[in-house]
Amino acid sequence: GRASRILVMAPASVCKQWQVELREKFNLNWPIYDGHMLRWQATPMQPEGRELPVLRTDWHRQPAVIVSSHLLRRQDRFDEVVNQAEPWDLVVLDEAHHARRKSAANLAEERPNALLRLMRDLAPRTPGLVLLTATPMQVHPVEVWDLLALLGLPDGWHARAFLDFFEQVQHPNPSHETLDQIARLFVAAERRFGSLDPAVVQRRLEDVGVIRLRRVLDALRSDAGIPRRMLSVDDRQLALRLARLASPVACLISRHTRALLRRYYERGLITTPIASRRVEDRFLDMSAGEAALYAALEDYITQTYNQAEQDERSALGFVLTIYRRRLASSTRALVLTLEKHLQAVREGSAASDFFADDDVEALDSDAEASDDADLDTAKRVALAQEEASEIEVLLRLARSLPEDTKLGALRVGIDELKNSGYAQVMVFTQFTDTMDLLRESLAGRDDLKLMCFSGRGGEVRTQDGTWRVISRDETKRRFRQGEAHVLLCTDAAAEGLNFQFCGALINYDMPWNPMRVEQRIGRIDRLGQRFPEIRILNLHYEDSIEADVYHALGSRIDLFQSVVGRLQPILSTLPSLIASRVLAGGARGDANRHQVAEDVAREIDAAEEQNFDLDAIIEDDLALPPRPEPALTLRQIGSLLPRVETLPNNLQVSALGNSDWSLRMPGMTTPVRVTADPAFFEEHAGSVELWSPGSSVFPDPEWAEWQPEQGAPEFPQ
């Protein structure tokens, strides 16, 4: 009851996942606003879903709504969000690290990007603000300060003081003056967030006694410097640890990592072990024809880009990089895009499918996408600049090629995994066109049963060889029950499909942003993974700019061996680095390709030198906090369904299975399937309603005042 107006801002590529997960985890069906329409998710009570055209002056009147952060950060939307809309009680910003300054090199020169500028205007009007990110460190620690400042920092914690503080608390024996400065910030933080409780602190610092804790805390809080000057070297180090525990970083950030989960498991706080990863990169030589196509496409991209006017290059580059990404995926994916663009250029107007959904998703998901990226402008500029005759040359060359080299490597990889005990494998690609190629290539094998999942939904092969669309729920159920050996996926499957029972994954192509690969791996690397070791196989074309970058990353960090969240901001700059090099003609020749890899390597080395690691600053609390018992549990609610005498007498209820029921409310012509079992609901959310307060199939809460008794609940009639 504390929030009646809620706004969720997320990248466009994950808005649908937000909608799905909110319903599956919280039984909330919130609409997505796409700039023109409000769209609710289809449910058993409303199988067709619901769409509502809405004016720009009205969309924000919705009590709860999910919107693309890229849409809202556009300049023409600022006034709607900040001034026209009534203040929201709660704003959630997903992938919050996208809100950043354009350069962190000069503290005095604050140039926020459009999203950070929007959040700075929105935050003062929002009593509740939650920033979500898997990124524990930005390229520069001042960018952490930028995010924390949105939440409200204590007096004196300006950017310079923040940076100095985290440098000073790492010192082995700081000077008296430095310790006094740390103490002033400590007192300000306690004033803002509340005083440290010695009993709670001792639970986290198990090697420190309460008397010693109180003495050092008193010294830090003292107005005079003498008590601090009398501290021993060990006590001074304890003072620094306490200062970190009271800092805004510790108080405003809740951090959860796989390393922490492993420590929970070692302590017996969770019973599920955490799987390890075994990653193998295979770099494949291109055929002579593939190398010739690669070179011809690079020449075309560079020539077309350089011939454009300076003010049109940004938009044109948007289109040209799609060619490059598609070629790195498959020749088929490139051919189909070239055909679309050729048709549009010949007709002189943008074809409706000039950009496939996959293309838009790939561009949208890159963290460094331009604030002003406009696909309509990109289409217009491309139509004016691209030459039909040159596209035709590329098409002839691409169509003349035999099977992609990577297809053979894919078959070998699947067989190797199968022989190693991994009976099921997920195969990921960026583009639906490539996925279709893979299923054509693998469909002839009698020993491999295939399923697909993409933006079209799940797909299974029928007896006559055609492919039939199935629901998301059906896809999960069939793959879980072993009805397919291989699930071919686009990145659409990286959103909300969780397969802890599958222990192997092949990346048929490698996105320019490695964090997208991490999202793919996250489909199987989850709590409850039944294989102790997850196998990951990555396929690359040797002598390509992508391969050089992944070579460089592999030599410096254990990419994909563990979650490299600390380097995510650097990795997310790869799309812009690669694009700039490709567009300028720097992807041809070993020296030019290697330069991109060296640029990335330098950024990684610089980040390591920053020595600002949140995982080191935030001391994990391995003792779980006490949690109050809920007034009502789903188990108690579920116990009502078989007891007809406890239900309102106008409900018609009959059992379907152990966990689901047929329910008909007054006025309903067709009964609906319901459950009060959250695990059952999550597995069958497309065909089942969760029977709980707030649901449209739960009786009007005229019993809202009752409290369950100890043991079996007694419900009013």
Side-chain angles (χ1 to χ4, degrees):
R2 295 174 61 191
S4 57
R5 282 180 50 76
I6 302 173
L7 171 67
V8 175
M9 300 167 58
S13 58
V14 296
C15 282
K16 182 62 179 177
Q17 184 182 353
W18 265 92
Q19 188 179 55
V20 168
E21 299 275 0
L22 280 170
R23 180 166 180 271
E24 292 186 0
K25 302 296 191 297
F26 300 98
N27 208 18
L28 299 168
N29 191 358
W30 290 354
I32 295 172
Y33 173 60
D34 64 3
H36 309 284
M37 305 274 286
L38 290 164
R39 289 187 169 89
W40 284 261
Q41 188 180 0
T43 66
M45 278 293 287
Q46 200 162 24
E48 302 303 317
R50 181 181 162 211
E51 293 186 351
L52 180 68
V54 65
L55 298 174
R56 289 176 59 160
T57 54
D58 291 336
W59 68 266
H60 45 73
R61 300 185 192 279
Q62 280 294 315
V65 62
I66 305 164
V67 192
S68 158
S69 51
H70 195 277
L71 173 68
L72 294 191
R73 73 187 185 186
R74 280 172 27 184
Q75 189 63 45
D76 63 324
R77 293 278 182 170
F78 260 67
D79 192 56
E80 288 171 45
V81 184
V82 176
N83 298 320
Q84 294 180 26
E86 288 294 316
W88 280 278
D89 302 313
L90 174 65
V91 171
V92 178
L93 176 64
D94 194 13
E95 304 290 353
H97 57 276
H98 291 183
R100 59 191 305 187
R101 56 182 68 196
K102 294 180 178 178
S103 172
N106 185 353
L107 281 186
E109 185 186 359
E110 277 196 65
R111 291 190 302 136
N113 68 4
L115 185 56
L116 180 56
R117 193 163 62 247
L118 170 65
M119 296 309 298
R120 286 179 175 177
D121 286 346
L122 197 57
R125 307 177 76 242
T126 304
L129 178 58
V130 177
L131 307 174
L132 300 174
T133 174
T135 307
M137 190 199 80
Q138 307 298 320
V139 174
H140 192 286
V142 73
E143 296 176 1
V144 177
W145 181 86
D146 283 332
L147 294 180
L148 294 180
L150 296 174
L151 304 175
L153 290 174
D155 293 338
W157 281 85
H158 50 77
R160 181 73 266 165
F162 180 87
L163 299 181
D164 289 345
F165 175 86
F166 286 105
E167 184 177 328
Q168 291 163 351
V169 292
Q170 302 297 328
H171 198 285
N173 191 10
S175 68
H176 297 316
E177 293 75 16
T178 296
L179 196 56
D180 287 344
Q181 186 176 339
I182 290 171
R184 284 192 294 273
L185 292 173
F186 171 83
V187 169
E190 279 202 321
R191 195 179 304 122
R192 168 75 168 78
F193 302 119
S195 299
L196 291 182
D197 181 341
V200 174
V201 173
Q202 192 192 27
R203 193 179 69 198
R204 302 179 69 170
L205 309 181
E206 297 172 345
D207 56 330
V208 181
V210 172
I211 295 175
R212 183 184 170 207
L213 267 178
R214 292 187 185 280
R215 185 178 72 252
V216 176
L217 281 170
D218 288 344
L220 276 172
R221 292 165 180 159
S222 173
D223 292 334
I226 294 175
R228 289 186 289 276
R229 284 165 170 72
M230 297 176 64
L231 293 176
S232 67
V233 172
D234 286 346
D235 282 348
R236 290 164 77 84
Q237 280 300 306
L238 176 57
L240 299 182
R241 288 182 76 183
L242 294 172
R244 286 196 295 269
L245 285 177
S247 73
V249 165
C251 294
L252 294 175
I253 296 179
S254 177
R255 177 90 179 110
H256 303 277
T257 64
R258 278 175 174 76
L260 177 59
L261 290 176
R262 286 194 174 93
R263 293 176 66 192
Y264 280 151
Y265 178 70
E266 291 163 4
R267 289 285 190 96
L269 298 174
I270 59 174
T271 57
T272 308
I274 311 301
S276 61
R277 298 180 179 185
R278 179 178 162 192
V279 182
E280 181 184 353
D281 288 289
R282 293 189 181 173
F283 294 91
L284 312 171
D285 291 329
M286 296 183 201
S287 68
E290 288 167 341
L293 177 60
Y294 187 102
L297 184 66
E298 296 300 336
D299 287 341
Y300 174 70
I301 289 173
T302 303
Q303 178 183 331
T304 306
Y305 182 76
N306 289 335
Q307 286 176 348
E309 296 295 330
Q310 195 72 35
D311 60 349
E312 292 185 328
R313 288 184 177 179
S314 176
L316 180 61
F318 227 45
V319 176
L320 297 175
T321 59
I322 284 296
Y323 289 149
R324 188 62 195 78
R325 295 168 197 242
R326 282 183 162 261
L327 176 58
S329 181
S330 70
T331 306
R332 163 81 64 85
L334 175 64
V335 165
L336 293 176
T337 288
L338 287 172
E339 288 174 345
K340 291 175 186 175
H341 287 215
L342 179 61
Q343 178 189 353
V345 170
R346 281 174 172 167
E347 293 175 355
S349 60
S352 60
D353 57 352
F354 192 87
F355 282 109
D357 290 343
D358 297 335
D359 301 333
V360 176
E361 199 171 292
L363 293 167
D364 268 349
S365 68
D366 291 340
E368 297 301 305
S370 165
D371 287 338
D372 305 313
D374 184 339
L375 296 185
D376 291 332
T377 301
K379 292 179 188 177
R380 177 181 54 76
V381 174
L383 287 167
Q385 293 293 333
E386 293 199 80
E387 294 288 343
S389 60
E390 295 179 7
I391 296 177
E392 287 170 345
V393 171
L394 290 171
L395 266 173
R396 280 196 297 272
L397 183 56
R399 287 169 176 160
S400 69
L401 295 181
E403 177 178 278
D404 287 2
T405 301
K406 281 196 295 184
L407 281 171
L410 173 65
R411 297 187 195 103
V412 170
I414 291 172
D415 288 341
E416 288 178 354
L417 290 168
K418 192 175 178 182
N419 293 335
S420 299
Y422 295 88
Q424 290 182 292
V425 59
M426 296 182 75
V427 178
F428 270 98
T429 174
Q430 295 180 79
F431 301 104
T432 308
D433 296 330
T434 299
M435 184 192 77
D436 291 342
L437 169 70
L438 301 186
R439 78 181 185 188
E440 289 172 21
S441 173
L442 298 173
R445 292 184 49 168
D446 295 333
D447 62 330
L448 281 186
K449 294 179 181 177
L450 305 178
M451 284 174 51
C452 299
F453 192 87
S454 67
R456 299 189 300 239
E459 292 172 282
V460 292
R461 199 176 188 198
T462 60
Q463 288 186 340
D464 63 4
T466 60
W467 290 85
R468 178 170 64 87
V469 175
I470 59 175
S471 70
R472 184 171 171 273
D473 279 358
E474 186 75 356
T475 303
K476 290 195 294 186
R477 183 191 66 77
R478 284 173 175 255
F479 197 48
R480 182 179 292 106
Q481 292 181 353
E483 294 185 22
H485 301 112
V486 177
L487 180 62
L488 301 171
C489 308
T490 66
D491 286 314
E495 301 171 12
L497 287 186
N498 304 326
F499 295 129
Q500 294 92 325
F501 54 87
C502 176
L505 184 149
I506 298 176
N507 288 302
Y508 187 79
D509 53 32
M510 302 296 287
W512 285 2
N513 185 348
M515 298 316 297
R516 298 194 80 193
V517 179
E518 183 60 51
Q519 290 171 351
R520 296 173 177 180
I521 297 171
R523 298 309 95 215
I524 62 173
D525 190 3
R526 312 187 69 78
L527 276 175
Q529 169 56 247
R530 70 181 184 90
F531 287 86
E533 182 180 71
I534 294 168
R535 292 284 300 276
I536 300 155
L537 175 60
N538 302 321
L539 303 181
H540 310 257
Y541 275 131
E542 190 65 275
D543 296 325
S544 67
I545 194 168
E546 295 90 351
D548 285 347
V549 168
Y550 279 100
H551 268 311
L553 292 172
S555 67
R556 281 173 167 78
I557 57 176
D558 292 328
L559 192 62
F560 312 128
Q561 295 284 356
S562 58
V563 180
V564 288
R566 196 162 74 90
L567 296 172
Q568 179 173 334
I570 297 160
L571 300 179
S572 68
T573 65
L574 280 177
S576 58
L577 267 175
I578 296 173
S580 62
R581 189 66 63 170
V582 167
L583 295 170
R588 293 288 305 279
D590 290 347
N592 287 327
R593 289 201 324 270
H594 295 335
Q595 186 59 49
V596 176
E598 287 305 311
D599 291 345
V600 176
R602 273 197 302 272
E603 288 207 37
I604 289 174
D605 292 342
E608 297 290 355
E609 291 172 10
Q610 288 285 350
N611 197 29
F612 190 81
D613 183 357
L614 289 191
D615 293 338
I617 292 167
I618 300 175
E619 301 203 26
D620 297 325
D621 188 353
L622 291 179
L624 298 178
R627 292 186 174 134
E629 289 297 316
L632 178 64
T633 68
L634 284 168
R635 187 182 60 80
Q636 290 170 331
I637 292 175
S639 71
L640 290 175
L641 288 166
R643 298 162 60 185
V644 178
E645 71 278 5
T646 66
L647 299 173
N649 57 18
N650 56 15
L651 290 186
Q652 182 182 354
V653 178
S654 59
L656 295 173
N658 293 330
S659 301
D660 56 331
W661 303 77
S662 170
L663 181 144
R664 195 195 314 258
M665 298 177 71
M668 289 173 56
T669 56
T670 305
V672 66
R673 187 178 174 209
V674 301
T675 185
D677 180 340
F680 186 88
F681 174 65
E682 185 172 355
E683 286 192 21
H684 305 89
S687 58
V688 178
E689 293 280 1
L690 184 65
W691 199 65
S692 68
S695 167
S696 57
V697 292
F698 197 80
D700 194 19
E702 49 197 9
W703 330 324
E705 299 303 317
W706 68 266
Q707 293 292 325
E709 302 294 333
Q710 198 69 20
E714 293 296 327
F715 295 86
Q717 295 296 324

